[in-house]
């Protein structure tokens, strides 16, 4: 069986040199995408959730301060 990757076997439209190293990088990038096709969307949503939680925590902190400002500690 011939080696699956050989120089010059793939033609890139952007002029990238078709080397075994470049083809291996392309195959590994494709396999990474195939394993997690929605990874970028999941990371974007996770970042948005973290921003929301930080803002929500700040609002809750200031709400607590306002609601409980008249209660004094008698201990």
């Amino acid at each position: 069986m011939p080696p699956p990757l050989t120089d010059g076997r793939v033609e890139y439209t952007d002029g990238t040199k078709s080397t075994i190293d470049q083809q291996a990088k392309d195959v590994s990038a494709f396999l990474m995408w195939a394993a997690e096709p929605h990874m970028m969307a999941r990371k974007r949503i996770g970042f948005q959730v973290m921003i929301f939680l930080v803002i929500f925590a700040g609002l809750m902190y200031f709400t607590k301060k306002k609601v409980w400002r008249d209660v004094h500690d008698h201990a």
Side-chain angles (χ1 to χ4, degrees), residues 28-38:
S28 62
F30 171 75
L31 290 175
M32 181 77 165
W33 174 83
E36 296 261 1
H38 304 294

Side-chain angles (χ1 to χ4, degrees), residues 1-61:
M1 180 174 166
L5 300 176
T6 57
D7 286 335
R9 193 170 210 170
V10 177
E11 185 178 318
Y12 292 98
T13 57
D14 64 352
T16 303
K17 223 173 164 186
S18 180
T19 61
I20 294 175
D21 187 49
Q22 181 62 45
Q23 292 173 23
K25 288 178 184 177
D26 291 343
V27 169
S28 62
F30 171 75
L31 290 175
M32 181 77 165
W33 174 83
E36 296 261 1
H38 304 294
M39 180 177 61
M40 295 306 288
R42 190 181 75 235
K43 286 185 177 186
R44 184 178 59 248
I45 290 171
F47 184 70
Q48 291 170 349
V49 166
M50 293 305 292
I51 290 172
F52 170 79
L53 289 175
V54 166
I55 293 170
F56 185 70
L59 289 173
M60 288 295 99
Y61 174 77

Side-chain angles (χ1 to χ4, degrees), residues 64-75:
K64 176 206 167 269
K65 288 295 229 180
K66 183 175 182 178
V67 168
W68 292 97
R69 73 174 171 238
D70 295 331
V71 178
H72 301 289
D73 188 18
H74 293 287

